[in-house]
Amino acid sequence: MAKFKKKPVVIEATQWNENGDHPDDNCFEVLSVDGDTTFLSEGKVVRRFRTPQVAGQKECNHCGVIFHNHGWIDTLEGGHIVCPGDWIITGVQGERYPCKPDIFEMTYEPAE
């Protein structure tokens, strides 16, 4: 089998920990229906993870954090769950996708 090496390409990446972390999320404060509290609107890049098939208090098999604290991102291959601590990479054609911290560390280094 032939071997290949990744071309050196500079990418943009942001580590995601909670709703609104990505610089392009453009979240803003929203007043609750009862008018007593505020919360951040949903992110434009990483949305809140919501699905009727998975309870929000269930723990994720990958990171152990409850799903209520996860995000969701649409990629060219379909939607993906974003765990707190995952990196959101913007690829060479502007596409965005999540990357687990250990894979990110093995694959990328800071550009100068």
Side-chain angles (χ1 to χ4, degrees):
M1 183 178 300
K3 293 187 178 189
F4 294 88
K5 174 170 99 170
K6 231 180 203 183
K7 293 179 182 178
V9 175
V10 175
I11 53 101
E12 290 182 357
T14 301
Q15 196 164 29
W16 186 90
N17 288 295
E18 62 184 0
N19 183 51
D21 267 4
H22 196 280
D24 293 335
D25 271 343
N26 298 322
C27 292
F28 52 90
E29 292 273 330
V30 177
L31 188 61
S32 65
V33 176
D34 63 15
D36 289 338
T37 57
T38 60
F39 58 93
L40 276 183
S41 66
E42 186 165 61
K44 303 233 183 298
V45 175
V46 181
R47 300 190 324 264
R48 289 187 174 98
F49 175 76
R50 291 186 299 266
T51 179
Q53 294 85 7
V54 179
Q57 297 302 312
K58 181 179 180 203
E59 288 185 4
C60 174
N61 291 337
H62 293 286
C63 68
V65 175
I66 61 171
F67 279 104
H68 176 77
N69 296 333
H70 283 65
W72 181 265
I73 190 168
D74 292 317
T75 71
L76 297 175
E77 294 82 29
H80 288 272
I81 295 172
V82 180
C83 294
D86 283 357
W87 287 86
I88 306 302
I89 295 173
T90 302
V92 295
Q93 295 182 327
E95 75 281 12
R96 291 191 170 117
Y97 53 93
C99 183
K100 296 293 179 207
D102 57 337
I103 303 298
F104 187 87
E105 186 178 325
M106 288 188 290
T107 309
Y108 299 99
E109 60 188 24
E112 297 181 18

